[in-house]
């Protein structure tokens, strides 16, 4: 009787512990990757990305003091890292692209307009191809993008 209870207890412990171990390990690997990318784009500690938000395998980081923006997307097959020096930017807008004659959003982009030469650069934030289940993350990503577009624009105008 005691042996069977012990065996069942150990089996349940392993069933719970193994997935927990992989989640913790994956989290630490992602944190290390994010830290290394931030260090790479800090440009000799000029930018310190103290304001950071993570959601749906996307990391957004902002340095309000030195005006730098970093977007890391782990959803794509290869991670996509985009950096923008906001000192050279005049404005930031959010551009959702929809399917013809429907409300289905195919992609959401940050559009940055430069002060010099009025050049426009678009950075992709959400693509339907990268949404593995099909627009499950769209609402959350759209709300996050709106929030960050406002934060970036506020950082530019200060």
């Amino acid at each position: 009787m005691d042996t069977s209870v012990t065996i069942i207890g150990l089996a349940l412990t392993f069933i719970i512990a193994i997935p927990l171990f992989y989640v913790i390990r994956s989290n630490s690997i992602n944190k290390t990757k994010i830290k290394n990318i931030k260090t790479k784009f800090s440009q000799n500690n000029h930018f310190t990305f103290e304001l950071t938000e993570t959601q749906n395998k996307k990391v957004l980081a902002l340095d309000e003091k030195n005006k730098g923006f970093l977007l890391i997307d782990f959803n794509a097959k290869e991670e996509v890292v985009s950096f923008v020096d906001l000192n050279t930017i005049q404005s930031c807008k959010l551009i959702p692209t929809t399917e013809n004659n429907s409300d289905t959003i195919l992609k959401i982009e940050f559009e940055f307009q430069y002060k010099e030469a009025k050049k426009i650069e678009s950075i992709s934030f959400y693509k339907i191809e990268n949404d593995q289940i099909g627009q499950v993350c769209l609402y959350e990503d759209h709300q996050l993008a709106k929030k960050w577009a406002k934060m970036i624009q506020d950082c530019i105008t200060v």
Side-chain angles (χ1 to χ4, degrees), residues 26-43:
S26 173
N27 242 354
S28 69
I29 289 171
N30 283 343
K31 283 183 182 181
T32 305
K33 273 186 183 178
I34 293 167
K35 184 179 177 189
N36 290 339
I37 292 170
K38 282 182 176 182
T39 303
K40 178 182 172 186
F41 285 94
S42 74
Q43 298 177 356

Side-chain angles (χ1 to χ4, degrees), residues 89-103:
I89 300 296
Q90 181 178 348
S91 68
C92 172
K93 291 189 290 187
L94 195 63
I95 309 293
T97 304
T98 58
E99 199 171 37
N100 294 341
N101 300 326
S102 96
D103 292 336

Side-chain angles (χ1 to χ4, degrees), residues 103-139:
D103 292 336
T104 304
I105 294 178
L106 300 176
K107 66 181 175 179
I108 299 172
E109 297 175 315
F110 287 108
E111 184 180 271
F112 295 98
Q113 182 174 9
Y114 284 85
K115 292 177 184 175
E116 303 295 319
K118 301 297 180 191
K119 184 179 120 185
I120 294 176
E121 178 184 3
S122 294
I123 295 177
S124 180
F125 180 72
Y126 171 87
K127 286 184 183 175
I128 195 166
E129 303 93 51
N130 295 339
D131 197 347
Q132 296 154 351
I133 305 174
Q135 292 198 324
V136 171
C137 301
L138 174 63
Y139 180 75

